[in-house]
Amino acid sequence: MFVLALKQPEVSKPSLQPDSALDTDDGITQGTDEDAGCPSAFDEEDDIAVADCGLDDEFESWMDQISLDINDRQDYKPFPSKMFALLFFLVHGPHPIGNRTLMFIWFILNQTGISVPSLKAVRSFKLPGLDLPKRHVSSQGNPFYCQSVVSTLQLCMANPKIASSLTRYPVQTEGAVEEIYHGSVWNDDERFQAPMAALPNGEHIFVRDCITFEHHSLGTTKAVIVKFFEKNTLQGVHAEVELLLNCYQYQYVTENTNCYLPDDCCVIYGAQVIHFTSIIGVANPPLSVIKWTEAGIQRFSNEEKMQYFASNEWKEKAGGKKVIMVPLILFTDDTSGNRSKKWNKFESWYLLLAGLGRHANAKPSNIHFLTTSNKVSPLDQSVPIVEELLLLESEGIEAYDAFSDCQVLVVAPLICVICDNPRAKELCNQLASSTRKYCRICMADKIDSPDVIGVPRTRALSLSQMEEISSQTSISRTYNTRKKYGIKEHYNPMLHTNIRADIYKATPLEALHVFALGASKYFLQLFMPDFTHDQKTEILALIKAFNMSGFTTKMYGNVCYYYNSFVGRDFKAWSQMAIFILSPYLDAGRKEVLLNYSKVFAIAYAKSYNRHLKEQWKSVCQNFIDSVKVHFPNLLRRPKMHLILHLIECLEQYGPTSAFSAERCESFNSDVRAQNIYSNRQAPSRDIGKHFAVLEHVRHIIDGGRYGQESVGALTVSVPGMEKCTLFGLAQHDPPYVLSFHHVQLNDKVTTECRGIVAQSFQLVHTGDYVELDVPCELKFGVLLSVCKLAVGSTVCFIQMFEPMFIRIGEPLLSDTDCPMFELSRNIEAVEGCKVLKAVSFVHDCFSEGCHFEEMSASGCAVENW
């Protein structure tokens, strides 16, 4: 067995994080040499020496999250060349490099005979479509810069990797809820429902449309669309409809042959779920409609009929475009701007797409920076964000959808806000935890009823309470009314605007702060001081002997003495082993509390929520609170302990806690902090915002995203007899690629571009995979670039072919194992989809009947094992 070697240039992967800008707010001068600051990526005249620019841990994650393999892609658009792209990443990289250092690098390159563009040309190069953060002023008069939510969302929709991974409809499950789009908020709240779906023939069907569909027993039947959704067990879009039965259909269903209806009348008969493919199209509503109720027959008046068949508001706003529902998640937190992680507090806001799911949103590349400031409060920062959210919810925005390859209308309501407990209280206008009404979700009283769920808080209820507070005529009455309701009356854009999300329901409890940094920490502080020195020695020995191989994280440090300095991962590991380690040293009461807490902790960090176990899990949480009330009643005065009663409600609404976890976003804070450390700190809000704006666009280019209809990461070619076709992964070069059409007949235009095809071996082959072809050529292997469906129904694949490498004419280049070496040629063959045999690996057998590639599945790890 030998390894086929493919020649690849040895170029190291560049880091893609742009430099921090040192543009300043009004009235603040630019940094100087004495500032020992970071040079601006947007200022050509900066000349700042930097003492230490070594790569640190904060930026290694960026190298992992954005994978630009410049050897494989051969794609440098919009940059003129590979060298220009590498130098752009150097100048605008994650670490500051002074002007003199850059000039010295250019001097070295020129002296070694390497032709490079001028430093001025690289510095002044403008990325296409770069949208920098806009300047805003807080209520205190402090400027801050905020990235547009609209432009960020448009970039995401035009990014093929994001758009193709986006869940566009709520997903109904049998029982297990694993994602936020499985939860009840997205599935049951009509504010987050997808307003339309497109039939295979291109016709758009909206909610409340009257349609005809093929019923399995009634034949062609009329119905009214109630909502669209997907099922995790079945592929495709489904629709819930209300049936409109004529006389014969109604007699068949009810088995009542004595019922007669006029020919132009229909009966509203219950709801039913149908597959979207059974829909024929939009139909005219019946002339009259009746409905059977408990009071008898109800015939709709003309006004009631018009209201029942009212046109969907988004149909007119869409203007013939598709309407895509993309719920958003906001994350807000504070972080230190210093290396010591102390002082100089920065308030930040980030954006996530709920439709990507919890695993994708755990990647830093899917966390989109919006704003940060060390002078402006988070509520003031949220004003421009909420203004854009109102636009996205009420009117929508036009954007290019890379998945549908067309302009669409995007509706993006806010579905939830992820934050820690102090920030959630601030967003809900709640007083500090010292107030009696200490829960932000309900009106529970921490003195009288901390162990039960109180009356739910709502926006309407809080606004009426704020109005009552504002109407008080004295300071003392105002103070007492605030304490009575546990809220403050100041302006809050999350409450005083018509944003769809009710902030009291849209701030679910966060597991890290409620459990790991909450209850787990409380119990350690209660138990550990009571143990003797000998007991602590035994506990440490038991921990050392404990098998933690199944844990996702391990505990570091001495839990008996230094637990106050533990972080979240340490408390998570400790909570899983505490009941086993401490059982011999606890009395019956404490053991009962810890055992009940272990059960609750397992529910809180479960990978899925099971609706069938809802009541059982509720009783587990209630039993824990009851045991705490008996043995540690003072603990129930802490808001985090009471919030455990709301755990099941949050799981029901938003899925497992990992779907709305703050841990991944909090680790993103280190990147914000690093950008402030490597700047002159004169205008951090603008500097950090510009840095992440450039980084967002660089990633968009790398992923093959588009600005408008123009692709910036793929080669678009004109094919005779076809419309333009995109070859993913290629850019135009000198000499150009040569297209050959010897193995396919092109007689129609492209209707759809795909990113994969099912080969003859029934393997799913993706673009970028190595494939073997069934064509009469000497060398039948290449890379799948693109798959195009023609209007006539046939499929065309574009393959970049391999060619052997030669030392000289007639003498092939061999590897260390005497295998011939190949490289990707400039020849691109168009072949029929049925000619793709299978995906292949780099392994072939030289000792059987000639050299041949082996199937990917049979030799997937042979290269590693060689």
Side-chain angles (χ1 to χ4, degrees):
M1 193 70 67
F2 294 97
V3 179
L4 176 65
L6 298 177
K7 183 182 179 181
Q8 300 288 352
E10 296 184 358
V11 180
S12 60
K13 293 184 181 180
S15 178
L16 299 179
Q17 194 170 2
D19 194 3
S20 172
L22 290 190
D23 299 298
T24 60
D25 294 322
D26 295 344
I28 301 178
T29 58
Q30 192 75 353
T32 62
D33 287 5
E34 288 77 19
D35 294 324
C38 167
S40 171
F42 303 88
D43 192 339
E44 300 177 17
E45 303 302 327
D46 283 331
D47 186 9
I48 303 172
V50 178
D52 181 13
C53 294
L55 187 66
D56 53 30
D57 295 338
E58 278 128 355
F59 296 103
E60 290 183 358
S61 61
W62 286 112
M63 299 175 66
D64 296 333
Q65 62 154 316
I66 304 179
S67 58
L68 171 64
D69 192 337
I70 216 149
N71 306 322
D72 293 340
R73 286 185 55 86
Q74 302 180 5
D75 180 5
Y76 320 114
K77 187 178 179 181
F79 304 107
S81 64
K82 178 199 290 190
M83 179 59 72
F84 197 101
L86 292 173
L87 294 176
F88 181 86
F89 298 142
L90 173 68
V91 174
H92 301 280
H95 291 274
I97 301 179
N99 187 55
R100 289 174 181 157
T101 306
L102 289 173
M103 292 176 65
F104 184 64
I105 294 174
W106 253 254
F107 172 78
I108 294 175
L109 293 174
N110 289 323
Q111 289 299 311
T112 54
I114 300 176
S115 178
V116 295
S118 67
L119 176 58
K120 182 178 180 180
V122 174
R123 274 188 155 169
S124 60
F125 183 81
K126 301 297 183 182
L127 292 174
L130 179 61
D131 185 16
L132 296 176
K134 302 296 188 298
R135 185 179 187 272
H136 302 273
V137 179
S138 70
S139 58
Q140 303 298 320
N142 294 317
F144 68 99
Y145 290 80
C146 183
Q147 184 66 34
S148 170
V149 178
V150 170
S151 63
T152 301
L153 185 58
Q154 288 173 331
L155 278 184
C156 292
M157 295 302 299
N159 188 320
K161 289 189 177 180
I162 295 178
S164 61
S165 304
L166 205 59
T167 300
R168 293 150 187 259
Y169 299 93
V171 179
Q172 292 187 359
T173 61
E174 296 296 332
V177 179
E178 299 179 351
E179 298 286 357
I180 196 169
Y181 43 77
H182 296 164
S184 62
V185 171
W186 199 336
N187 273 273
D188 301 335
D189 194 332
E190 63 180 11
R191 297 174 298 177
F192 305 103
Q193 298 287 328
M196 67 140 289
L199 292 176
N201 62 7
E203 185 177 8
H204 295 173
I205 306 295
F206 284 81
V207 172
R208 305 312 306 172
D209 275 353
C210 182
I211 60 154
T212 56
F213 74 99
E214 285 297 330
H215 194 280
H216 59 86
S217 57
L218 299 177
T220 303
T221 307
K222 286 188 175 183
V224 174
I225 298 290
V226 177
K227 67 177 181 179
F228 300 106
F229 60 92
E230 294 179 358
K231 289 187 176 182
N232 66 330
T233 55
L234 297 173
Q235 293 184 349
V237 180
H238 292 70
E240 181 181 325
V241 299
E242 287 184 343
L243 299 178
L244 299 176
L245 304 182
N246 59 31
C247 178
Y248 303 104
Q249 291 171 332
Y250 185 75
Q251 290 177 358
Y252 177 82
V253 172
T254 60
E255 299 181 355
N256 181 7
T257 58
N258 296 324
C259 176
Y260 295 97
L261 298 172
D263 293 338
D264 59 352
C265 182
C266 287
V267 180
I268 300 176
Y269 186 83
Q272 184 171 338
V273 174
I274 63 174
H275 197 279
F276 201 66
T277 56
S278 65
I279 297 178
I280 300 173
V282 178
N284 293 322
L287 293 179
S288 62
V289 178
I290 62 175
K291 184 176 183 179
W292 261 269
T293 64
E294 295 180 357
I297 297 176
Q298 175 189 352
R299 183 178 293 274
F300 281 17
S301 64
N302 289 334
E303 292 77 10
E304 291 174 328
K305 177 188 170 184
M306 291 179 62
Q307 184 178 1
Y308 183 75
F309 292 106
S311 177
N312 191 292
E313 62 172 327
W314 293 109
K315 181 181 291 188
E316 182 178 351
K317 293 179 180 179
K321 302 182 183 68
K322 290 183 178 181
V323 182
I324 308 297
M325 182 67 69
V326 185
L328 304 177
I329 300 174
L330 287 177
F331 173 81
T332 175
D333 194 19
D334 57 76
T335 184
S336 170
N338 297 345
R339 194 184 297 272
S340 63
K341 301 183 182 180
K342 298 179 180 179
W343 309 292
N344 194 20
K345 184 171 69 172
F346 277 77
E347 307 287 357
S348 303
W349 287 82
Y350 313 141
L351 176 73
L352 302 93
L353 305 184
L356 289 179
R358 55 194 175 100
H359 295 295
N361 278 332
K363 300 177 180 179
S365 57
N366 290 324
I367 303 173
H368 308 283
F369 175 87
L370 292 180
T371 183
T372 190
S373 177
N374 58 346
K375 297 180 180 179
V376 181
S377 69
L379 287 180
D380 281 342
Q381 288 177 317
S382 69
V383 171
I385 298 175
V386 171
E387 289 176 354
E388 291 195 278
L389 288 176
L390 290 172
L391 171 66
L392 289 167
E393 293 177 353
S394 60
E395 300 297 330
I397 59 165
E398 288 190 19
Y400 173 78
D401 181 14
F403 181 76
S404 304
D405 193 22
C406 62
Q407 291 290 125
V408 298
L409 183 68
V410 178
V411 184
L414 175 66
I415 194 169
C416 72
V417 181
I418 304 175
C419 53
D420 56 18
N421 293 309
R423 180 57 49 82
K425 286 178 177 290
E426 189 173 358
L427 296 179
C428 296
N429 273 27
Q430 193 180 6
L431 293 174
S433 56
S434 58
T435 182
R436 291 185 61 167
K437 305 293 184 181
Y438 67 154
C439 180
R440 69 172 187 269
I441 301 178
C442 71
M443 296 288 291
D445 191 301
K446 73 175 182 181
I447 303 299
D448 298 335
S449 57
D451 57 332
V452 296
I453 297 177
V455 177
R457 291 184 185 269
T458 62
R459 178 191 295 165
L461 177 62
S462 293
L463 290 177
S464 65
Q465 293 171 348
M466 292 178 195
E467 186 177 352
E468 182 180 345
I469 295 172
S470 302
S471 64
Q472 302 303 314
T473 57
S474 66
I475 296 178
S476 61
R477 289 181 178 179
T478 301
Y479 174 79
N480 291 333
T481 310
R482 287 175 183 165
K483 299 288 284 185
K484 174 183 176 181
Y485 297 124
I487 60 173
K488 296 175 281 189
E489 71 279 13
H490 61 76
Y491 175 78
N492 184 341
M494 291 287 183
L495 285 171
H496 292 87
T497 58
N498 294 325
I499 192 170
R500 291 188 186 181
D502 190 331
I503 194 63
Y504 295 103
K505 297 179 181 178
T507 51
L509 66 86
E510 210 288 307
L512 173 66
H513 298 90
V514 172
F515 293 95
L517 300 177
S520 298
K521 189 173 184 178
Y522 298 157
F523 290 136
L524 264 177
Q525 292 172 338
L526 284 172
F527 296 165
M528 281 302 172
D530 296 340
F531 295 141
T532 64
H533 176 74
D534 293 340
Q535 288 176 328
K536 290 180 179 180
T537 303
E538 293 179 4
I539 289 172
L540 292 176
L542 290 172
I543 294 173
K544 189 174 182 180
F546 196 89
N547 185 2
M548 290 185 279
S549 59
F551 290 8
T552 55
T553 60
K554 295 184 179 181
M555 185 178 65
Y556 301 94
N558 190 321
V559 69
C560 296
Y561 297 99
Y562 306 117
Y563 49 82
N564 283 324
S565 62
F566 272 22
V567 294
R569 66 170 180 268
D570 299 318
F571 285 116
K572 286 173 65 175
W574 167 251
S575 300
Q576 297 175 76
M577 69 173 77
I579 186 63
F580 305 103
I581 301 295
L582 299 183
S583 289
Y585 309 99
L586 300 178
D587 57 35
R590 293 190 171 193
K591 188 182 298 184
E592 177 190 357
V593 171
L594 193 57
L595 179 60
N596 288 333
Y597 177 66
S598 299
K599 296 178 182 179
V600 174
F601 188 86
I603 294 174
Y605 282 95
K607 292 184 178 180
S608 64
Y609 162 72
N610 194 327
R611 290 193 181 98
H612 302 313
L613 301 177
K614 178 179 179 179
E615 295 303 323
Q616 181 179 342
W617 285 11
K618 272 189 175 181
S619 64
V620 170
C621 296
Q622 189 63 55
N623 291 339
F624 167 67
I625 295 297
D626 292 341
S627 62
V628 172
K629 183 179 180 180
V630 174
H631 302 286
F632 304 104
N634 288 336
L635 278 183
L636 290 183
R637 297 193 174 191
R638 297 177 181 259
K640 292 180 181 180
M641 298 298 291
H642 172 81
L643 282 174
I644 294 177
L645 289 172
H646 296 282
L647 173 62
I648 307 304
E649 177 186 355
C650 294
L651 298 180
E652 176 82 16
Q653 293 174 343
Y654 297 102
T657 56
S658 56
F660 49 92
S661 171
E663 295 179 51
R664 177 65 263 180
C665 293
E666 288 202 347
S667 65
F668 190 83
N669 288 339
S670 62
D671 299 295
V672 176
R673 179 169 57 253
Q675 289 307 309
N676 184 64
I677 292 172
Y678 289 107
S679 73
N680 64 0
R681 311 192 187 190
Q682 296 296 306
S685 181
R686 186 175 184 179
D687 295 348
I688 297 172
K690 284 188 174 182
H691 154 73
F692 283 106
V694 173
L695 182 62
E696 188 84 16
H697 282 70
V698 168
R699 181 194 177 231
H700 186 72
I701 292 170
I702 293 169
D703 288 346
R706 297 190 179 190
Y707 296 99
Q709 296 288 350
E710 180 185 359
S711 173
V712 296
L715 171 64
T716 301
V717 297
S718 295
V719 178
M722 301 169 61
E723 290 185 346
K724 286 188 176 180
C725 167
T726 302
L727 305 184
F728 298 97
L730 296 184
Q732 197 64 263
H733 291 286
D734 256 344
Y737 294 101
V738 178
L739 291 172
S740 301
F741 304 95
H742 303 119
H743 309 293
V744 65
Q745 293 293 329
L746 299 177
N747 51 14
D748 213 328
K749 62 182 181 180
V750 174
T751 59
T752 308
E753 292 184 17
C754 309
R755 303 300 290 269
I757 190 174
V758 178
Q760 291 186 24
S761 62
F762 299 103
Q763 291 175 290
L764 179 59
V765 183
H766 299 276
T767 53
D769 287 351
Y770 296 94
V771 295
E772 181 179 357
L773 305 177
D774 183 15
V775 292
C777 297
E778 182 178 356
L779 193 60
K780 305 178 180 181
F781 306 99
V783 177
L784 179 64
L785 298 180
S786 185
V787 182
C788 301
K789 289 185 178 179
L790 303 183
V792 294
S794 60
T795 304
V796 176
C797 298
F798 289 89
I799 312 293
Q800 186 180 10
M801 304 301 293
F802 282 116
E803 64 181 9
M805 301 176 63
F806 294 93
I807 301 176
R808 58 183 63 89
I809 297 177
E811 184 177 348
L813 179 63
L814 303 179
S815 67
D816 294 339
T817 57
D818 294 331
C819 290
M821 295 185 66
F822 296 85
E823 65 178 348
L824 289 171
S825 68
R826 294 279 177 179
N827 297 322
I828 298 176
E829 291 285 349
V831 300
E832 296 181 7
C834 60
K835 298 295 184 180
V836 178
L837 287 177
K838 57 189 175 184
V840 296
S841 69
F842 296 141
V843 181
H844 71 148
D845 187 357
C846 292
F847 299 105
S848 57
E849 301 173 358
C851 292
H852 65 277
F853 283 80
E854 291 190 354
E855 293 185 14
M856 181 78 75
S857 58
S859 57
C861 61
V863 173
E864 298 180 4
N865 295 336
W866 168 252

